[in-house]
Amino acid sequence: MGWFSKSKRKEIWDEDIQWPLGDIEAAHKIRDICRSAADSAGKVADLTQRPGSEKNKYETERYQRAAKTAMEVAIKISDDLLRDSSVRQIVSLCMTANDLRIARVLFRAIQAVSIREDVLNEHPGLRQ
C-alpha cells in the first residue's frame, strides 16, 4: 500500500532539466512552475502574520525553490519577448507571495513596454 507512505513527492522545479531546452519549452516550464507554486506563494503571504510555524517554513522553502528554478530557466531564453512574458509570470508569483523585493528586481528586467504596462496594471504596488 503506497498510499500512506511518507515519501516526499517530487516537484516540477526539482526535476532535472534536459538542456538544451528550446525557448518555447522553457516558457512552458516556467508557466508550469509558477502555476504549481502559486498555492505555496499564497500561503507564504498568509503565513507572514504567523511566523515560526513548521508549515510556514515548508511553504516558504517550496516557493523559493520554485521561483529560483523559474528564474534560472528564464535567463536562458534567447527570445526577448518570450523571456519578458516568462519573467512576467515569475513577477506575478512573487507578488502573490508578497515578495516585493524580488518582484521589483524582476520587473526592471522586463524590456517590452506593453508587458511592463500589463504588469503595472495587474500589480500597481510595483510603481515607484
Side-chain angles (χ1 to χ4, degrees), residues 10-23:
K10 191 163 188 164
E11 303 287 357
I12 188 169
W13 48 85
D14 291 332
E15 296 173 359
D16 290 333
I17 299 173
Q18 301 299 320
W19 299 104
L21 195 63
D23 287 351

Side-chain angles (χ1 to χ4, degrees), residues 70-96:
M71 287 184 257
E72 289 171 354
V73 173
I75 288 171
K76 299 189 180 194
I77 297 176
S78 60
D79 182 79
D80 293 339
L81 195 56
L82 201 53
R83 184 179 52 250
D84 286 350
S85 177
S86 296
V87 170
R88 178 185 197 273
Q89 293 175 358
I90 303 169
V91 168
S92 292
L93 177 68
C94 293
M95 292 300 291
T96 301

Side-chain angles (χ1 to χ4, degrees), residues 32-47:
D32 293 343
I33 289 170
C34 291
R35 285 183 180 171
S36 296
D39 60 332
S40 285
K43 289 175 185 174
V44 167
D46 291 341
L47 293 173

